[in-house]
Amino acid sequence: MIENKNLGKLELYIHIPFCVQKCKYCDFLSAPASKQVQNAYMEALLSEIRGSAVPDRKVVSVFIGGGTPSVVDVEWILDVMEAIRNHYLLEEGAEVTMEVNPGTVTAKSLARYRAAGVNRLSIGCQSCHDAELSRIGRIHDHQAFLDTYRWAREAGFNNINVDLMSALPGQTLESLEDTLHKILSLVPPPEHISAYSLIVEEGTPFYEMQKRGELTLPDEDMEREMYWRTADILKKYRYEHYEISNYARESYQCRHNVGYWTRRDYLGFGIGAASLYENVRYKNADDLAAYIKNPLNCHTQIQKLGREEQMEEEMFLGLRLSLGVSGERFREIFGVSMWDIYWEQIRESVEEGLLEDDGRRIVLTKRGVDLANYVMAKFLL
Amino acid sequence: MASIDQSKIRNFCIVAHIDHGKSTLADRIIEKTGLLTSREMQAQVLDNMDLERERGITIKAQSVRTVYRAKDGEEYIFNLIDTPGHVDFNYEVSRSLAACDGAILVVDAAQGIEAQTLANVYLALDHDLDVFPVINKIDLPSAEPQRVIEEIEDVIGIEAQDAPLISAKNGINIEEVLEQIVTKIPAPKGSSDNPLQALIFDSLYDSYKGVIIFCRIMEGTVKKGTNIRMMATGAVEEVVEVGYFGAGQFIPCEELSAGMVGYITASIKNVKDTAVGDTVTDNDRPCDKPLPGYKKVQSMVYCGMYPADGAKYPDLRDALEKLQLNDASLNYEPETSIALGFGFRCGFLGLLHLEIIQERLEREYNLDLVTTAPGVIYKVHKTNGEVIELTNPSNLPDPSVIEFMEEPIVSAEIMVTSEFIGSIMELCQERRGRYLGMEYIEGTRALLKYDLPLNEIIYDFFDALKSRSRGYASFDYDIKGYEESKLVKLDILINREEVDALSFIVHADSAYERGRKMCEKLKDEIPRHLFEIPIQAAVGGKVIARETVKAMRKDVLAKCYGGDITRKKKLLEKQKEGKKRMRQIGNVEIPQKAFMSVLKLDDRK
């Protein structure tokens, strides 16, 4: 049978779809809601977590994301942690991440998350410039981020990610560099940095503004310049650029996300949450009311992955990582050579200067990273 | 069937400017004459093709026979012949008119007389039809029936004081129209004992009956078994069936005699044998001479049509074959393009006709098409005295063997309110128009007369006209003839390779402008590639304009999609799918829509 180092391991994703106010670029499943709705949702979420237990699987990571999970009452997070502990085999030393946003936490709430077993925080900073923050509809200023960060350290979090964004309206190379330097001069600096580019998605306020010509964004060339400037600076500060948008100090890679890219099994709880379990992908329906009524049977888009689909995923997910796709692993999983299946695509991409092939693994070149989708699309069979 | 009293027949049509309510009035007439119950009425009974319904215009002539009991107590047979409503189909209009004895002129009570009103009413008067006016849409708040009545009398010179004031939409005063049909439109003449003489005003192909000829019997009688001969095409066949037009159906009858309108079937396989305007006679007892006015329909506009997916070439051929069965004015022949592969050079009556065929191919035959820039027929006079009729720019001979070239010119009439005269004149200037004169219709409206090269109006002239007059200008034209002109072939080079499908003929003076706009447009349409792509416009090998598509810099989602891998994959699949819809020219991939988007170059929108 298929051999896989991920076998037997499981990740959990907990979706909390609430926030104080929707950011203008956000197309995630999230919205402001009353306490009453929040409470009803959290009850349902707990039922789903409890009712979906797979006790023989070792849970190696938990990610509580959103939305802004820190908008619901602290007790709910404690309950979530307890439900996980009671119904799953949470491995000793498992990575437990929670997303928080400045303006929704206090020193006290952070300490309680920590005490409940959350051991990694992901803080939405995005920019250290107040003008940029307000233009994208964030509810906090830079000072609020600094407070959050300090409280987090005081609460004992020694594994922190800071989310940053580039290609924001009005952002310049200088202001981006300034943001980076401000983050790098935090004491101690974050263990992990996610640096995303703003992408205008349909259905967001930015999308409408762009259509009306009211949104001026740094152009494509500037966006790339920002991207590589970020990479250069972070490299100097000993962050490894281990994935297209992610940087980490040694041994602080986000295990949960690496799990996604290496196709480890994961269960997603909450509306709209995606799961991969024994090569079946599915998603929870995103209807809040229906979920609250019946949180256990809302799986949709159930798709059994065939062998080819698994191969495609192995490639386009693996190529996001700086380690690339391993020929050895490919053979272990599929019993055939990656070069037999993808000879044409690999040769062509290498000729185009987008891929490096050292005979053991294939990795995107710098130009390949810029054109990642172009390369990845080729690997769809 | 008992023989019909000729004096109780009324053959008529309705003429109007587009949107003045011709089809709606036709519906009301059919409804009020009681052949159909209200329930059976579709919104517009006569326009039975989906496309016509959507565009609100009539493409093929339709006919219907209804029975009306008039106030004098007599029953009258109405043959309403619906005429196509667009300048592309002028010839069909004129044949339909020839089949009538009178016409109802519908004029919008708010808008008054428009360019097509004039063109159509003059056409009707030219055919010696008795015309009576009807003022429609009187229930509109902006209706000014008295002003419109005066306008009709002043401008057209026909009596309009007793014109029925109606609302076809709301069924107001339709009775009055019906009565006037009886009193104002003359009964047909002609004798059923004379040799057969029937005018073909339309025909269509039916897979069971073969070609169905729509005709007006001028003289004589035709019935099952008559050996008929089409006088222009020479085709001879034995009649299988004759009949008349119910609403949306064919009702067989014994015979058709002088004065009647109806159909004939005779196992004819191709509509080409039954040309509109031709005369049908009895082969055994022919008439002396055909009815006047027949002319062979000429395609005015040509373009290349290619299947987006090269494998669909046979499907496209079959589809064109089928469409042609019904549409004798469509013609096509196979051609090959380096850029687009195997396809057809198709000829149309005009741009609207082109668009209709294109849409029918895409909709009814489910074909994805790439269309090249439409062009007209140029006459190329070679130094050796030979004259070529050029329909495909790629076939233009080397300039060294060309003595001179000619292009078709139209006489155009544009009706416009005075505030827009300036901008419309400017537009006509830009399109190389030759100003002939201007007449004021009344205080605020003028009729501008221009000679315009046909190739300047086939792309987007109508759109430009509308946008520069806020929709108020109306337009009509007639082909005038050919004139010598300084024409050149403009070639487009993408990544230094000439793309034959993008070449077109243009006047030398506008070559630079057009070339520059083409390059700009293509620059927006061609996606960035891994390498830089120069786009050049050239005349006779000399580059006159250039743009560059920069090398692709970025195609990556530096964004967190969390565990939603399916969404990510869909994105990649879409990207891959998009590539399939590209045309490979050298190593450059050009989206199909780039070939079409370059047609609309008027940027003053």
Side-chain angles (χ1 to χ4, degrees):
Chain A
M1 242 329 270
I2 291 169
E3 272 301 309
N4 188 337
K5 277 179 202 157
N6 283 334
L7 208 68
K9 295 181 180 174
L10 184 67
E11 308 193 330
L12 302 180
Y13 174 76
I14 319 290
H15 189 66
I16 299 182
F18 305 116
C19 52
V20 176
Q21 164 195 309
K22 201 135 165 98
C23 301
K24 290 181 186 166
Y25 56 84
C26 174
D27 72 327
F28 289 105
L29 191 53
S30 169
S34 68
K35 272 281 172 249
Q36 204 185 350
V37 171
Q38 291 183 10
N39 293 346
Y41 177 81
M42 292 307 292
E43 275 303 347
L45 182 63
L46 287 169
S47 315
E48 193 194 4
I49 295 172
R50 292 186 193 117
S52 312
V54 272
D56 56 327
R57 291 289 204 98
K58 252 192 299 186
V59 172
V60 294
S61 76
V62 175
F63 197 103
I64 306 172
T68 303
S70 46
V71 298
V72 298
D73 292 339
V74 178
E75 283 69 25
W76 288 118
I77 304 298
L78 309 189
D79 288 351
V80 165
M81 289 307 298
E82 195 187 309
I84 292 171
R85 261 182 239 288
N86 289 343
H87 294 83
Y88 298 81
L89 203 62
L90 186 63
E91 197 185 45
E92 178 93 11
E95 177 190 273
V96 180
T97 307
M98 177 172 167
E99 288 185 321
V100 297
N101 276 313
T104 61
V105 291
T106 60
K108 202 171 141 211
S109 66
L110 288 170
R112 294 181 72 194
Y113 296 142
R114 182 70 193 91
V118 176
N119 56 24
R120 183 174 182 269
L121 276 192
S122 177
I123 308 176
C125 169
Q126 319 312 358
S127 162
C128 297
H129 293 265
D130 291 348
E132 288 170 10
L133 289 172
S134 86
R135 271 196 290 270
I136 60 176
R138 300 291 292 185
I139 58 159
H140 58 88
D141 58 11
H142 182 51
Q143 187 55 47
F145 165 77
L146 291 174
D147 294 342
T148 303
Y149 191 82
R150 185 164 40 83
W151 296 332
R153 288 302 187 190
E154 284 166 8
F157 284 101
N158 54 19
N159 186 358
I160 295 181
N161 167 58
V162 170
D163 269 352
L164 297 178
M165 291 182 86
S166 59
L168 301 177
Q171 193 177 37
T172 62
L173 212 48
E174 290 68 37
S175 76
L176 174 70
E177 280 183 21
D178 185 63
T179 287
L180 285 166
H181 285 123
K182 284 200 166 91
I183 295 302
L184 292 167
S185 55
L186 292 167
V187 186
E191 284 71 26
H192 189 284
I193 293 174
S194 295
Y196 300 119
S197 300
L198 177 78
I199 290 167
V200 178
E201 301 276 6
E202 219 174 312
T204 61
F206 271 0
Y207 183 81
E208 296 306 315
M209 285 169 70
Q210 198 170 47
K211 267 206 322 216
R212 292 196 300 264
E214 290 163 10
L215 185 66
T216 321
L217 295 173
D219 67 12
E220 190 168 298
D221 292 345
M222 177 50 73
E223 189 275 333
R224 281 294 93 189
E225 207 165 323
M226 288 177 167
Y227 177 87
W228 288 111
R229 185 66 58 91
T230 305
D232 287 347
I233 292 173
L234 292 180
K235 192 177 168 195
K236 252 184 251 160
Y237 284 80
R238 293 182 294 109
Y239 287 86
E240 190 202 349
H241 190 179
Y242 72 97
E243 192 267 348
I244 287 177
S245 307
N246 286 285
Y247 301 84
R249 287 272 167 92
E250 180 155 19
S251 79
Y252 282 103
Q253 294 183 359
C254 175
R255 268 183 270 162
H256 187 84
N257 281 341
V258 170
Y260 289 153
W261 298 315
T262 56
R263 311 193 55 252
R264 192 179 289 157
D265 278 356
Y266 57 94
L267 297 180
F269 301 129
I271 55 167
S275 300
L276 169 65
Y277 195 75
E278 290 174 347
N279 277 316
V280 177
R281 287 200 183 274
Y282 58 88
K283 251 180 105 169
N284 281 355
D286 48 17
D287 180 332
L288 186 66
Y291 180 79
I292 288 172
K293 251 195 213 154
N294 185 4
L296 277 174
N297 289 311
C298 58
H299 298 175
T300 63
Q301 304 175 27
I302 300 168
Q303 187 201 5
K304 170 96 187 122
L305 300 175
R307 188 161 175 270
E308 278 198 352
E309 285 158 322
Q310 294 174 36
M311 285 182 182
E312 291 169 348
E313 289 191 0
E314 180 72 14
M315 302 309 285
F316 77 73
L317 292 171
L319 283 171
R320 291 192 73 90
L321 298 166
S322 62
L323 266 179
V325 184
S326 153
E328 195 187 343
R329 191 182 124 105
F330 192 96
R331 182 179 281 285
E332 264 174 38
I333 299 172
F334 301 109
V336 286
S337 160
M338 174 168 79
W339 286 272
D340 283 345
I341 304 286
Y342 284 115
W343 171 249
E344 191 69 17
Q345 291 91 327
I346 293 172
R347 186 189 53 80
E348 197 180 273
S349 305
V350 168
E351 272 170 20
E352 289 170 334
L354 304 174
L355 205 60
E356 250 165 60
D357 174 7
D358 67 1
R360 301 182 57 224
R361 44 181 66 245
I362 56 165
V363 179
L364 291 178
T365 60
K366 275 192 160 188
R367 179 116 169 91
V369 168
D370 286 341
L371 305 176
N373 286 347
Y374 172 84
V375 182
M376 289 170 183
K378 290 188 191 193
F379 284 88
L380 298 185
L381 292 166
Chain B
M1 196 175 67
S3 80
I4 288 162
D5 179 0
Q6 220 179 45
S7 71
K8 299 290 184 295
I9 298 177
R10 295 293 180 271
N11 298 320
F12 63 96
C13 59
I14 306 175
V15 295
H17 185 71
I18 191 160
D19 284 342
H20 280 196
K22 185 175 85 169
S23 298
T24 319
L25 176 59
D27 288 352
R28 288 296 162 266
I29 292 175
I30 294 164
E31 200 182 47
K32 296 280 180 186
T33 44
L35 249 193
L36 285 173
T37 63
S38 297
R39 200 169 51 81
E40 285 169 332
M41 297 288 298
Q42 282 181 287
Q44 294 189 349
V45 171
L46 285 186
D47 291 351
N48 67 12
M49 275 194 271
D50 279 356
L51 256 177
E52 293 181 3
R53 183 83 37 96
E54 266 165 48
R55 286 169 173 261
I57 48 168
T58 307
I59 301 160
K60 287 199 72 86
Q62 301 280 332
S63 285
V64 68
R65 188 187 103 136
T66 66
V67 180
Y68 174 61
R69 184 177 290 277
K71 286 184 180 150
D72 62 12
E74 298 283 339
E75 272 199 340
Y76 289 85
I77 289 172
F78 285 180
N79 285 306
L80 167 56
I81 298 168
D82 198 17
T83 57
H86 189 274
V87 58
D88 279 5
F89 307 100
N90 256 345
Y91 179 65
E92 273 86 344
V93 176
S94 85
R95 291 308 85 200
S96 297
L97 293 176
C100 300
D101 303 301
I104 305 174
L105 169 67
V106 180
V107 184
D108 182 309
Q111 293 183 0
I113 293 172
E114 296 284 350
Q116 281 176 2
T117 315
L118 280 186
N120 289 333
V121 86
Y122 288 141
L123 213 51
L125 295 171
D126 281 352
H127 285 89
D128 288 328
L129 301 191
D130 287 5
V131 179
F132 76 87
V134 163
I135 315 293
N136 191 21
K137 306 193 191 181
I138 50 144
D139 51 342
L140 287 184
S142 53
E144 293 178 77
Q146 202 48 47
R147 180 184 67 81
V148 174
I149 285 169
E150 278 159 25
E151 194 174 284
I152 293 171
E153 294 193 331
D154 290 352
V155 177
I156 304 172
I158 58 174
E159 170 71 29
Q161 286 308 331
D162 61 348
L165 306 182
I166 69 161
S167 164
K169 196 171 150 210
N170 296 314
I172 300 170
N173 243 350
I174 306 300
E175 288 292 329
E176 185 58 30
V177 180
L178 299 175
E179 281 301 314
Q180 291 203 5
I181 292 170
V182 173
T183 55
K184 297 207 166 171
I185 289 172
K189 299 187 188 77
S191 158
S192 45
D193 301 328
N194 284 343
L196 177 65
Q197 198 180 32
L199 171 72
I200 303 179
F201 62 87
D202 199 3
S203 59
L204 66 80
Y205 181 80
D206 178 276
S207 43
Y208 297 108
K209 298 185 172 180
V211 176
I212 301 173
I213 302 167
F214 291 25
C215 60
R216 155 78 190 268
I217 315 295
M218 297 298 185
E219 299 285 348
T221 305
V222 59
K223 54 185 153 193
K224 184 174 172 182
T226 310
N227 270 315
I228 52 165
R229 173 153 59 94
M230 269 51 79
M231 294 183 81
T233 64
V236 176
E237 291 290 344
E238 190 186 311
V239 173
V240 175
E241 183 181 307
V242 298
Y244 55 87
F245 309 104
Q249 55 189 330
F250 297 108
I251 300 168
C253 65
E254 258 332 87
E255 58 172 38
L256 295 175
S257 60
M260 293 173 76
V261 172
Y263 70 90
I264 302 173
T265 68
S267 7
I268 304 163
K269 285 281 161 287
N270 197 326
V271 281
K272 292 225 146 158
D273 289 333
T274 58
V276 168
D278 198 357
T279 303
V280 181
T281 192
D282 187 337
N283 197 41
D284 305 325
R285 190 182 159 223
C287 58
D288 302 347
K289 56 180 195 299
L291 295 159
Y294 171 75
K295 64 182 181 191
K296 203 166 174 286
V297 177
Q298 273 262 316
S299 295
M300 297 309 303
V301 173
Y302 280 81
C303 79
M305 283 192 169
Y306 293 82
D309 172 0
K312 292 275 172 70
Y313 175 78
D315 298 11
L316 176 57
R317 189 189 51 216
D318 293 349
L320 284 169
E321 229 168 68
K322 284 195 186 120
L323 283 183
Q324 201 185 38
L325 283 178
N326 241 332
D327 184 348
S329 49
L330 164 70
N331 65 62
Y332 61 92
E333 56 185 53
E335 71 171 4
T336 320
S337 150
I338 301 159
L340 300 174
F342 291 104
F344 295 91
R345 176 93 352 205
C346 304
F348 306 94
L349 295 174
L351 200 63
L352 178 80
H353 187 212
L354 184 160
E355 283 173 8
I356 287 164
I357 295 294
Q358 189 185 340
E359 278 189 50
R360 291 190 66 184
L361 287 169
E362 290 182 341
R363 236 190 264 191
E364 293 168 30
Y365 297 90
N366 217 357
L367 290 163
D368 208 354
L369 295 178
V370 181
T371 314
T372 65
V376 302
I377 309 171
Y378 297 98
K379 288 189 177 159
V380 183
H381 295 256
K382 291 171 72 175
T383 44
N384 63 5
E386 199 188 330
V387 182
I388 306 175
E389 298 211 332
L390 185 76
T391 57
N392 181 350
S394 304
N395 299 338
L396 185 72
D398 191 87
S400 61
V401 300
I402 298 175
E403 177 88 42
F404 66 95
M405 282 169 74
E406 289 182 303
E407 65 176 330
I409 303 289
V410 303
S411 311
E413 291 190 336
I414 301 164
M415 180 151 322
V416 63
T417 45
S418 45
E419 55 187 312
F420 299 114
I421 289 173
S423 59
I424 297 303
M425 288 180 78
E426 194 181 37
L427 172 68
C428 293
Q429 264 353 299
E430 283 166 24
R431 301 300 173 100
R432 298 190 282 128
R434 191 163 53 222
Y435 176 75
L436 298 178
M438 175 166 71
E439 286 165 25
Y440 272 90
I441 298 298
E442 42 161 0
T444 56
R445 283 194 308 163
L447 189 69
L448 286 168
K449 295 189 176 179
Y450 272 93
D451 279 351
L452 282 158
L454 181 63
N455 88 347
E456 295 284 345
I457 60 172
I458 55 170
Y459 306 104
D460 59 348
F461 185 76
F462 199 64
D463 290 345
L465 197 67
K466 286 281 174 199
S467 70
R468 291 189 192 196
S469 66
R470 278 193 241 127
Y472 283 119
S474 57
F475 169 58
D476 201 56
Y477 68 82
D478 263 329
I479 298 296
K480 188 178 179 198
Y482 274 79
E483 280 182 18
E484 185 174 340
S485 181
K486 222 167 64 186
L487 299 164
V488 293
K489 179 160 82 100
L490 186 71
D491 295 314
I492 299 293
L493 292 82
I494 293 178
N495 208 18
R496 295 178 184 84
E497 279 201 48
E498 190 179 310
V499 183
D500 59 355
L502 289 172
S503 294
F504 59 96
I505 306 282
V506 62
H507 191 263
D509 293 346
S510 26
Y512 169 75
E513 185 68 10
R514 286 292 292 276
R516 190 178 56 77
K517 282 187 182 163
M518 281 283 276
C519 290
E520 281 171 8
K521 205 70 174 215
L522 284 168
K523 182 191 167 198
D524 292 339
E525 291 292 338
I526 296 175
R528 290 184 172 198
H529 282 54
L530 292 180
F531 44 87
E532 191 178 281
I533 305 164
I535 299 171
Q536 296 159 305
V539 171
K542 187 169 160 270
V543 173
I544 56 168
R546 176 191 164 122
E547 290 283 343
T548 306
V549 178
K550 284 201 282 182
M552 177 162 45
R553 185 69 206 277
K554 177 199 168 190
D555 183 10
V556 57
L557 283 181
K559 182 182 159 173
C560 175
Y561 273 111
D564 196 351
I565 305 305
T566 313
R567 180 169 168 194
K568 168 86 186 160
K569 187 175 169 189
K570 274 186 192 144
L571 222 88
L572 294 175
E573 275 167 351
K574 214 169 134 193
Q575 180 152 357
K576 200 172 173 180
E577 201 46 45
K579 262 175 101 79
K580 279 196 202 147
R581 279 200 295 271
M582 304 266 197
R583 285 282 166 170
Q584 184 95 24
I585 310 283
N587 51 358
V588 178
E589 277 155 351
I590 305 177
Q592 321 252 349
K593 70 183 174 82
F595 291 94
M596 266 101 75
S597 70
V598 297
L599 309 183
K600 305 224 157 146
L601 297 174
D602 187 57
D603 26 57
R604 284 201 31 194
K605 294 257 151 115

